[in-house]
Amino acid sequence: MASSRFAPLQRLVISVAVLASFVTFLDGTVVTVALPAISRELGGGITTQQWVVDAYLITLSALILLAGSLSDAYGRVLVMRVGLIAFGVASVAVAAAPDPLFLIIARAAQGAAGALLVPSSLALITATMRADVQSRAIGIWTAFTTSAQLIGPLLGGLFVDFLSWRFVFLINVFPIAVTLLLLSRLKLKEHPSGAQVDWVSGALCAIGLGAVVFALIEQPNLGWQSPVIWLPGIGGAALFAWFLIRQQRSSTPLMPLSLFRVRDFAWGNLATLFVYAALSLNGFVLGVYLQQGAGLTATAAGLASLPITILMILLSSRAGSWAGRFGPRIFMTVGPLIMAAGALMLLLVAEDFDYWWQVLPAMIVLGLGLALTVAPLTSAILGAIDESRSGIASAVNNAVSRVAGLLVVAMLSTIIGGTLNLAGFHNAAIVTAALLVLGGVVSWIGIRRNPAEEVPSEAVDAPS
């Protein structure tokens, strides 16, 4: 898994970090193709499908920043061990769910456990490696976690077709067991800081996001005039605003707003918001429509996006090298625009469905654009921040991408017009393209870092 230039301890750290994060990222996408089967067995229609995805994303995205503080306060290995055990237990609970409510609560618990894994895994790498070795280790971590997101739909389809949707969640148990075994061999001298954890900010973020998402998902059923909708919507927005105010005033914030004074970091995260919202919308709609609308099996629906995975594997590292030579701006602009063209090509999908002519060309174009975008986007955002704060910068960017997916899935009924039929699928393709165009335009306007430009550490605390 790691190069021979890594020391044995470093190889063990990379293995633990990759496996711990792999299950978290895999579970975010593996569920997509299982949604129709879940809905058929447990009921609830598209609302249940939205909640199965968003219950996980709410707790994962809202608690990931809090988890970074817990990792510093109590030790990375301890936090990771707790997260792994909790994730395994929650996965078994999801697989055993007898009804939609139990399933949604278990998915929220799964997301909360997953939030403990991502920052602690990256923190293990940054704590045990420096300079070029650390960069290569983070590159390996990124490659494997990205592959987890991309192969998730295929794995999910295979389990749905040949076993049951419930086994989609049980596949976590084996890698978790292996990770716990490797973690027991990892002897690190950790010195937990014992720093005070801002539990209030964590609760404000989680409850605020959860209330807003509840309003967005349930609004098509109850209408904005219902107090059951507008009260949580307004209250959630107020709580999230309170969270941001606390971050501004706190001496040890969960999300240091000073990071956003750095131009490339701020604009890069805005581009992340649009691009990952588009990717989440496209992944959700494609996985569900190809089964419910086009009549494909779950496995075939998972295979539909395989060209994207192949192109990411073939081209991502090269795109990263190009971004290092020419700067990330051009790739962060052109990549999303190419993806937008691919999304519009999905308008070719018709009642007389043909994957080879109506979907495959779009997947190829989307894959090319995505391969050009991801590595330069990561480079622009993390490269804008001093290495000493790369951990929190990565956590913030990760949270932004998860919130993007969370919100767009919550708004799904509004986007598709209530029903995921052919017209709804076309509506989603148009919105996906629009979000990607916004991502490209934002990148062109905002990103300024030149090739191989060094960003001074004091820039983090200075307005750009």
Side-chain angles (χ1 to χ4, degrees):
M1 180 177 295
S3 162
S4 59
R5 288 177 289 178
F6 291 114
L9 175 62
Q10 292 171 337
R11 288 198 292 270
L12 181 58
V13 166
I14 293 170
S15 299
V16 168
V18 165
L19 283 170
S21 299
F22 188 88
V23 294
T24 305
F25 286 96
L26 179 67
D27 222 74
T29 57
V30 73
V31 69
T32 306
V33 294
L35 292 174
I38 293 172
S39 183
R40 283 194 300 271
E41 182 172 334
L42 300 183
I46 196 167
T47 301
T48 293
Q49 293 176 343
Q50 288 173 275
W51 273 116
V52 169
V53 173
D54 269 358
Y56 181 81
L57 289 177
I58 287 171
T59 49
L60 177 64
S61 56
L63 299 178
I64 199 167
L65 297 174
L66 179 65
S69 295
L70 290 172
S71 180
D72 291 338
Y74 300 111
R76 301 168 186 89
V77 172
L78 174 62
V79 169
M80 182 176 286
R81 184 174 287 114
V82 171
L84 286 165
I85 294 171
F87 199 91
V89 171
S91 296
V92 173
V94 172
D99 56 57
L101 180 60
F102 187 99
L103 174 64
I104 290 164
I105 292 172
R107 282 285 285 171
Q110 207 179 24
L116 297 176
L117 300 179
V118 176
S120 57
S121 66
L122 271 175
L124 278 177
I125 291 176
T126 56
T128 55
M129 303 173 211
R130 292 291 182 270
D132 182 56
V133 173
Q134 184 188 97
S135 297
R136 287 187 288 117
I138 291 175
I140 292 171
W141 182 89
T142 302
F144 275 89
T145 53
T146 300
S147 68
Q149 292 175 282
L150 294 173
I151 67 173
L154 174 58
L155 283 176
L158 289 169
F159 277 93
V160 169
D161 283 341
F162 296 102
L163 291 169
S164 164
W165 66 264
R166 298 179 185 276
F167 284 89
V168 167
F169 301 99
L170 292 177
I171 60 175
N172 298 320
V173 175
F174 177 72
I176 286 173
V178 172
T179 311
L180 284 170
L181 179 63
L182 292 176
L183 200 60
S184 68
R185 297 169 51 195
L186 189 61
K187 307 300 181 184
L188 290 179
K189 294 182 179 179
E190 289 201 292
H191 303 284
S193 67
Q196 186 174 0
V197 177
D198 190 354
W199 295 99
V200 174
S201 288
L204 288 173
C205 186
I207 298 171
L209 278 176
V212 170
V213 168
F214 172 83
L216 291 173
I217 289 179
E218 297 296 336
Q219 180 273 329
N221 299 324
L222 301 176
W224 286 115
Q225 73 280 0
S226 170
V228 177
I229 297 300
W230 62 261
L231 278 176
I234 295 173
L239 289 175
F240 191 73
W242 186 6
F243 163 76
L244 293 177
I245 292 170
R246 280 182 66 92
Q247 303 318 291
Q248 182 68 39
R249 296 176 177 175
S250 173
S251 58
T252 54
L254 295 182
M255 186 174 73
L257 298 183
S258 61
L259 292 172
F260 291 93
R261 296 175 188 163
V262 180
R263 181 179 182 119
D264 281 7
F265 184 84
W267 285 88
N269 274 289
L270 185 58
T272 296
L273 187 73
F274 290 126
V275 169
Y276 278 83
L279 293 175
S280 297
L281 176 61
N282 184 70
F284 185 105
V285 169
L286 196 68
V288 174
Y289 179 79
L290 290 183
Q291 294 179 72
Q292 294 184 342
L296 298 185
T297 63
T299 303
L303 282 169
S305 58
L306 186 61
I308 296 178
T309 306
I310 294 171
L311 288 166
M312 281 288 293
I313 293 170
L314 292 177
L315 299 178
S316 283
S317 61
R318 184 165 296 181
S321 299
W322 291 338
R325 289 175 57 194
F326 305 111
R329 183 190 186 199
I330 186 67
F331 299 97
M332 290 172 61
T333 302
V334 173
L337 294 180
I338 291 174
M339 282 193 283
L344 290 176
M345 291 171 69
L346 289 172
L347 295 175
L348 295 172
V349 172
E351 294 289 354
D352 186 14
F353 181 78
D354 187 318
Y355 170 79
W356 301 104
W357 294 106
Q358 297 172 6
V359 177
L360 179 60
M363 295 298 99
I364 293 172
V365 175
L366 280 164
L368 287 170
L370 188 61
L372 289 176
T373 302
V374 172
L377 179 64
T378 304
S379 170
I381 292 171
L382 297 187
I385 301 299
D386 181 69
E387 185 178 324
S388 65
R389 305 186 79 183
S390 61
I392 187 61
S394 176
V396 170
N397 182 242
N398 208 294
V400 168
S401 65
R402 301 292 163 255
V403 169
L406 171 71
L407 294 177
V408 79
V409 171
M411 297 174 65
L412 183 66
S413 290
T414 302
I415 291 170
I416 64 175
T419 305
L420 190 46
N421 52 19
L422 183 60
F425 181 79
H426 286 168
N427 289 340
I430 293 169
V431 173
T432 298
L435 289 168
L436 289 166
V437 168
L438 286 171
V441 170
V442 162
S443 298
W444 181 256
I445 293 172
I447 300 300
R448 284 291 179 268
R449 189 160 64 88
N450 296 319
E453 178 181 318
E454 294 294 331
V455 180
S457 59
E458 59 268 20
V460 173
D461 297 311
S464 56

